[in-house]
Amino acid sequence: MRFTKPGPPQAVLLSYVALIAVGVLLFMLLPTTKAKVSPIDALFTVTSAVTVTGLTVINTETQLTDTGKWLILSLIQIGGLGYMTLTTFLLITFRRKIGVKERLILSESLNYPGVYGLVRFLKRVVLFVFIIEAAGCLLLYIHWVPSMGITGAAFPAFFHSVSAFNNAGFSLFTDNLIPFRGDLYVNLVISALIFLGGIGFFVIHDIYLLFTKRTERLSTHTKLVLSLSIMLVVFGWLGLILTEFAHYNGIWSLNWKERLLSTLFLSVSSRTAGFNTVDIGSLSESSLFLLTILMFIGASPGSTGGGIKTTTFSVILLSVLSYVRGRSEVVVFNRSIPQDLIHRAMVVMALAFTYIAFVNLLIDRIEEKDFLSTLFEVVSAFATVGLSVGGGEGLSFSAQFSSFSKILIVLSMIVGRVGIVSFALALVGREEESRIKHPEARLLL
Amino acid sequence: MRFTKPGPPQAVLLSYVALIAVGVLLFMLLPTTKAKVSPIDALFTVTSAVTVTGLTVINTETQLTDTGKWLILSLIQIGGLGYMTLTTFLLITFRRKIGVKERLILSESLNYPGVYGLVRFLKRVVLFVFIIEAAGCLLLYIHWVPSMGITGAAFPAFFHSVSAFNNAGFSLFTDNLIPFRGDLYVNLVISALIFLGGIGFFVIHDIYLLFTKRTERLSTHTKLVLSLSIMLVVFGWLGLILTEFAHYNGIWSLNWKERLLSTLFLSVSSRTAGFNTVDIGSLSESSLFLLTILMFIGASPGSTGGGIKTTTFSVILLSVLSYVRGRSEVVVFNRSIPQDLIHRAMVVMALAFTYIAFVNLLIDRIEEKDFLSTLFEVVSAFATVGLSVGGGEGLSFSAQFSSFSKILIVLSMIVGRVGIVSFALALVGREEESRIKHPEARLLL
Ligand SMILES: [K+]
Ligand SMILES: [K+]
């Protein structure tokens, strides 16, 4: 027997689908594009914004009107923060009570453990978003005024601050952030925004509690996320330097400062912001594969980023190490990781691999384009990254795809944003536990 | 503290390494090749035979002498059956007692559950091997006499029967089995040998017990292996027809009978025999990716084949389905799969992915050759399959690799044959369980 009422996973999935539907309607009805675009491309663009992916089949700078750019920016902000989060925040602001059911859905949407302190947490999240995005906007504005002018710098500064904090990867520049590849200031500001957006609201909240002395120590979750995020950035940086070394078509054609900056930026951005300061299509195949792995791992839970998440990755890693050493406990920061978390992490990994393999196989079969470029695009969509080897004219590789494959990429962005397990739960639905207990199977592995 | 005595995983790993060392010595000292070959190529060839992989950097037909062919065949038989199995069988034959330690190692080597009935099981295994290989040899001999003559057909029949049952993939013909792509008889005999070799001795033994009425029903393990093996063959067959459909460079350039036969044969052979009746390099990229998945899944445990194994694959699949449905029990054939088996299956998958990703990244970086061809070669080595897009003159893609990459492929074949978890256990070794219990960590995924 299946439950008939939609549970939290269904509600979150439906909220994204509804937001995309409204977005497509607005995109088609308002004067958003300079020339007419196909409904598929409108769906693709809106989904890419709502899921904060950043893959493009329409050039944001040259093909969108100002209305179009504002619509994309609004969808990024709503999608990044989460539709449920925003509506609940509005409800609270207008002093409406929210019930237990809404709290459960909100807790799923925000990835907050439990419902205790949820409303206070929500209010702070919205405040964090406002402060960080305002600061980022101001920092970029000051830097861009000399070259773009007092009025000209305003919208780009705002747009890129919001896009970076939400890990959206959309840029107003045709070549994304390639013009700024040697600009240390822009690199640092955007990287900081991406990093803060990617570690998750829970972690930001935890750091806030420590700084305001409301707690004495950081939670295990925060310690794990921070140490792993820093380790992955360093690992990715060193890895990319090795995979690009002496490969003179790409990053190695630049000077040393730009080589170091662009590999570091790419390491930060690949999990899962999706900005690029170099042409991804010019990188070596080993760099593309390394980036695919980084994209797959992704950002941290309860953030604007995607992927299987840093925590999932580390739980699997620690669990495997424990197993090989013959230990029954999996320990991190003197805490034992419970069995059900390990099981969930393994399920996430298995489902993610299966999903990516299947969609990749389909698109490979249909498009018959380069294998690695296709795999890169599928993982980029699934992990809501937005990096792409490119499809000409500043667009993503998807721009060369047939409608059917574009729809598969759209689906992958939604699955990636909702989360593969939540998506599966939303589709299949839980059954009531059978009371029959079966005898144990004896299997050899 | 670590145990200092080698446990069963170490003993199995060491037995393969020792066998390879002896094989290389014999290969270099005896007149095995017509022209001089490098030590790396000798190591590669011997490892490929001992691990029953079938990747070649030396052409078996044109470059090896008769002595060389016999040496390869002997190494295939010893490596396929397992060195421990053979030596123990010889010990028993000469009426020597075998101790508890030998029994534990043998049980690990044969993938037999426990030590009860182990010696009787071992004797039957050797008998099965003899009967099946003799039958295969006879069937091939009868068929090949008209074209190859009464004496000429003998060695090819013997060689291919042994190579097929041991899932070795070595062939005496320059183009592997391409000359027989339309020959239904050869296709059926070789496929049957591969299938029997790939389901595992435990399953063959179980079927034998049922036929001789010593048991009334098949074990859950046997039911699972048989149903999954058949499902995977059918799934692979249909999949390959779809991925090759209207792709006129490869299989679709043949007539319908050959199209159906060669896709079916490839589906059987890719897990993990490694024979081919078509040029793998001519297949579409989606076919190569589908084959990579089939190779990765591999054969069944306790068999001559590799990969993560059909049972591991099905335990993961069933566990994910149960999780999504919210069931705590994972049920197969009315039996519940115990938690530690699920955990081990997940560890196998995670380790296999990590190993393949890392080695693939290294070889990509060093060789800078086509990504998919390289990935295909790495998975083929890891899963001891032996299929390859080819490197010219009937050799594998590895033939174009540098010495360092060849050594990585050699390592992958050994890791694949020993099993990734056993390999890790052999390297790391179990630690004594700590008595300290840690409080639970609270993490978000
Ligand atoms: K993104
Ligand atoms: K093989």
Side-chain angles (χ1 to χ4, degrees):
Chain A
M1 250 189 65
R2 296 184 180 188
F3 292 119
T4 42
K5 285 185 194 169
Q10 275 105 336
V12 171
L13 174 61
L14 284 176
S15 78
Y16 278 106
V17 171
L19 186 56
I20 289 168
V22 172
V24 170
L25 269 180
L26 289 175
F27 195 86
M28 299 295 281
L29 295 177
L30 297 175
T32 49
T33 52
K34 292 172 185 169
K36 203 170 147 50
V37 295
S38 71
I40 290 287
D41 286 352
L43 170 67
F44 192 103
T45 306
V46 167
T47 306
S48 183
V50 167
T51 60
V52 292
T53 304
L55 289 173
T56 50
V57 292
I58 295 174
N59 192 298
T60 314
E61 188 209 12
T62 57
Q63 289 179 269
L64 289 189
T65 62
D66 283 348
T67 314
K69 289 170 191 170
W70 275 103
L71 178 63
I72 293 299
L73 195 60
S74 314
L75 292 173
I76 288 172
Q77 186 61 79
I78 301 170
L81 194 52
Y83 174 70
M84 298 306 299
T85 317
L86 263 193
T87 46
T88 319
F89 180 73
L90 292 178
L91 285 177
I92 297 163
T93 312
F94 291 107
R95 304 201 173 279
R96 285 263 304 277
K97 288 250 174 188
I98 61 165
V100 175
K101 202 182 141 195
E102 279 76 28
R103 280 169 194 265
L104 283 174
I105 294 171
L106 183 64
S107 131
E108 163 99 13
S109 167
L110 273 170
N111 219 320
Y112 183 81
V115 291
Y116 177 76
L118 187 60
V119 169
R120 197 170 50 193
F121 177 70
L122 171 65
K123 285 181 182 170
R124 285 182 187 149
V125 162
V126 176
L127 194 69
F128 296 148
V129 172
F130 180 77
I131 292 174
I132 296 171
E133 287 182 356
C137 177
L138 193 66
L139 287 170
L140 289 175
Y141 180 72
I142 296 166
H143 188 69
W144 280 342
V145 159
S147 57
M148 301 184 194
I150 290 177
T151 49
F155 187 61
F158 181 58
F159 188 96
H160 288 90
S161 178
V162 172
S163 181
F165 179 70
N166 286 289
N167 276 243
F170 277 92
S171 168
L172 290 180
F173 312 112
T174 313
D175 292 326
N176 207 285
L177 299 182
I178 295 179
F180 304 98
R181 67 180 175 214
D183 189 329
L184 183 64
Y185 184 92
V186 170
N187 269 272
L188 286 182
V189 173
I190 299 277
S191 292
L193 287 168
I194 291 172
F195 191 85
L196 288 172
I199 55 177
F201 298 128
F202 185 85
V203 171
I204 299 178
H205 186 244
D206 217 21
I207 298 171
Y208 163 80
L209 291 182
L210 187 78
F211 269 88
T212 56
K213 300 204 193 313
R214 280 169 223 212
T215 182
E216 280 176 23
R217 68 181 85 185
L218 295 173
S219 69
T220 308
H221 176 80
T222 299
K223 284 187 216 162
L224 184 65
V225 164
L226 287 179
S227 51
L228 207 74
S229 299
I230 291 165
M231 275 165 57
L232 281 170
V233 165
V234 173
F235 165 82
W237 190 16
L238 297 179
L240 284 168
I241 290 173
L242 287 179
T243 54
E244 278 302 301
F245 185 80
H247 181 266
Y248 293 98
N249 306 348
I251 289 174
W252 239 243
S253 65
L254 311 174
N255 63 42
W256 265 104
K257 183 192 169 197
E258 288 177 340
R259 286 174 184 174
L260 292 178
L261 261 187
S262 55
T263 41
L264 174 58
F265 186 82
L266 202 50
S267 176
V268 173
S269 177
S270 58
R271 290 174 325 97
T272 64
F275 289 103
N276 54 299
T277 59
V278 287
D279 176 13
I280 303 296
S282 74
L283 302 181
S284 72
E285 291 205 324
S286 47
S287 296
L288 291 181
F289 185 55
L290 179 59
L291 287 174
T292 306
I293 296 171
L294 291 173
M295 295 197 296
F296 182 78
I297 297 171
S300 299
S303 76
T304 53
I308 64 164
K309 304 287 181 306
T310 55
T311 43
T312 304
F313 174 72
S314 62
V315 165
I316 292 168
L317 208 69
L318 292 167
S319 163
V320 168
L321 284 178
S322 291
Y323 185 88
V324 169
R325 283 178 179 167
R327 288 180 178 174
S328 57
E329 262 197 333
V330 181
V331 177
V332 62
F333 296 114
N334 290 317
R335 291 279 183 286
S336 140
I337 300 175
Q339 201 60 46
D340 60 323
L341 270 187
I342 296 171
H343 194 188
R344 187 181 170 97
M346 297 285 197
V347 168
V348 168
M349 180 181 63
L351 272 177
F353 274 121
T354 310
Y355 180 86
I356 288 169
F358 187 69
V359 169
N360 187 50
L361 190 61
L362 277 177
I363 299 185
D364 266 331
R365 161 73 258 206
I366 297 162
E367 303 299 327
E368 305 213 323
K369 298 198 194 304
D370 176 57
F371 176 80
L372 182 57
S373 304
T374 308
L375 177 68
F376 194 89
E377 194 84 358
V378 171
V379 174
S380 181
F382 176 82
T384 69
V385 177
L387 291 179
S388 174
V389 298
E393 299 170 24
L395 301 177
S396 300
F397 194 50
S398 300
Q400 297 180 1
F401 285 0
S402 63
S403 294
F404 185 76
S405 299
K406 279 181 184 168
I407 288 174
L408 285 175
I409 295 288
V410 163
L411 178 70
S412 304
M413 294 192 273
I414 297 171
V415 169
R417 184 70 181 119
V418 173
I420 183 84
V421 168
S422 298
F423 187 81
L425 286 174
L427 282 197
V428 178
R430 290 183 179 272
E431 295 181 3
E432 270 183 49
E433 186 73 36
S434 158
R435 295 226 179 94
I436 306 160
K437 291 286 164 207
H438 300 84
E440 276 202 354
R442 291 184 64 195
L443 294 177
L444 311 171
L445 291 186
Chain B
M1 251 189 65
R2 297 189 178 181
F3 292 121
T4 42
K5 285 184 193 168
Q10 275 105 335
V12 171
L13 175 61
L14 283 176
S15 77
Y16 278 107
V17 171
L19 186 56
I20 290 168
V22 172
V24 171
L25 269 180
L26 289 175
F27 195 87
M28 300 293 282
L29 295 176
L30 297 176
T32 50
T33 52
K34 291 172 185 168
K36 203 169 146 51
V37 295
S38 71
I40 291 287
D41 285 351
L43 171 66
F44 192 102
T45 305
V46 167
T47 307
S48 183
V50 168
T51 60
V52 290
T53 304
L55 290 172
T56 50
V57 292
I58 294 173
N59 193 300
T60 314
E61 189 209 9
T62 58
Q63 290 179 268
L64 290 188
T65 61
D66 282 347
T67 314
K69 288 171 191 169
W70 274 103
L71 178 63
I72 293 299
L73 194 61
S74 314
L75 292 173
I76 288 172
Q77 186 59 79
I78 300 170
L81 194 53
Y83 175 68
M84 298 307 298
T85 316
L86 264 192
T87 47
T88 319
F89 180 73
L90 292 177
L91 284 177
I92 297 164
T93 311
F94 291 106
R95 304 203 173 276
R96 284 264 303 277
K97 286 248 173 189
I98 61 165
V100 175
K101 203 184 139 195
E102 279 75 29
R103 279 169 195 264
L104 283 173
I105 295 171
L106 183 64
S107 130
E108 162 99 14
S109 169
L110 273 171
N111 221 321
Y112 182 81
V115 290
Y116 178 76
L118 187 60
V119 170
R120 197 171 48 194
F121 176 71
L122 171 67
K123 286 183 183 170
R124 284 183 186 150
V125 163
V126 176
L127 194 69
F128 296 149
V129 171
F130 181 78
I131 292 174
I132 296 171
E133 288 183 355
C137 178
L138 192 67
L139 288 170
L140 289 175
Y141 180 73
I142 296 166
H143 188 70
W144 281 341
V145 159
S147 57
M148 302 184 193
I150 288 178
T151 49
F155 188 60
F158 181 57
F159 189 96
H160 287 90
S161 177
V162 172
S163 181
F165 179 71
N166 285 289
N167 276 242
F170 278 91
S171 169
L172 290 180
F173 310 112
T174 313
D175 293 323
N176 208 285
L177 300 182
I178 295 179
F180 304 96
R181 68 180 175 217
D183 188 329
L184 182 65
Y185 184 91
V186 171
N187 270 272
L188 286 182
V189 172
I190 299 277
S191 293
L193 287 168
I194 292 171
F195 191 85
L196 288 172
I199 54 177
F201 297 128
F202 185 84
V203 172
I204 299 178
H205 186 244
D206 218 21
I207 297 171
Y208 163 79
L209 291 182
L210 186 77
F211 269 87
T212 54
K213 299 206 194 306
R214 280 166 223 215
T215 183
E216 279 176 24
R217 67 181 87 184
L218 294 172
S219 70
T220 308
H221 177 80
T222 299
K223 284 188 215 161
L224 185 64
V225 164
L226 287 179
S227 51
L228 208 73
S229 299
I230 291 165
M231 274 166 57
L232 281 170
V233 166
V234 173
F235 165 82
W237 189 18
L238 297 179
L240 284 169
I241 290 173
L242 287 178
T243 54
E244 278 301 302
F245 185 81
H247 182 266
Y248 292 99
N249 307 347
I251 289 173
W252 239 243
S253 65
L254 312 173
N255 64 40
W256 265 104
K257 183 193 170 198
E258 289 177 338
R259 286 173 185 176
L260 293 178
L261 260 187
S262 55
T263 42
L264 174 59
F265 186 81
L266 203 48
S267 175
V268 173
S269 176
S270 58
R271 289 172 329 93
T272 64
F275 289 103
N276 53 298
T277 58
V278 287
D279 175 15
I280 303 296
S282 74
L283 302 182
S284 72
E285 292 206 322
S286 46
S287 296
L288 291 181
F289 186 54
L290 180 58
L291 287 175
T292 306
I293 297 171
L294 290 173
M295 294 196 297
F296 183 77
I297 297 171
S300 299
S303 77
T304 54
I308 63 165
K309 304 289 183 305
T310 53
T311 42
T312 305
F313 174 72
S314 62
V315 165
I316 292 169
L317 207 72
L318 292 167
S319 163
V320 168
L321 284 177
S322 290
Y323 186 88
V324 169
R325 283 179 180 166
R327 288 180 177 174
S328 55
E329 262 196 334
V330 181
V331 178
V332 61
F333 295 114
N334 289 317
R335 290 282 184 284
S336 142
I337 300 175
Q339 201 60 45
D340 60 323
L341 269 188
I342 295 172
H343 194 189
R344 187 181 170 98
M346 297 284 196
V347 168
V348 169
M349 178 180 63
L351 272 177
F353 274 121
T354 310
Y355 180 86
I356 288 169
F358 188 68
V359 170
N360 187 50
L361 190 61
L362 277 177
I363 299 186
D364 267 330
R365 162 71 259 208
I366 297 161
E367 303 299 327
E368 304 214 324
K369 299 199 193 304
D370 176 58
F371 176 80
L372 183 57
S373 303
T374 309
L375 177 68
F376 193 89
E377 194 83 358
V378 171
V379 175
S380 180
F382 176 81
T384 68
V385 177
L387 291 179
S388 174
V389 298
E393 298 170 25
L395 302 176
S396 300
F397 194 50
S398 299
Q400 297 180 359
F401 286 180
S402 64
S403 295
F404 186 75
S405 299
K406 278 181 185 168
I407 289 173
L408 284 175
I409 294 288
V410 163
L411 179 70
S412 304
M413 294 191 276
I414 298 171
V415 170
R417 183 67 180 122
V418 173
I420 182 84
V421 169
S422 298
F423 187 81
L425 285 175
L427 283 198
V428 179
R430 291 181 179 271
E431 296 181 0
E432 270 183 49
E433 187 74 34
S434 158
R435 294 229 180 92
I436 306 160
K437 291 287 164 208
H438 301 84
E440 275 203 353
R442 292 185 62 196
L443 294 177
L444 311 171
L445 292 187

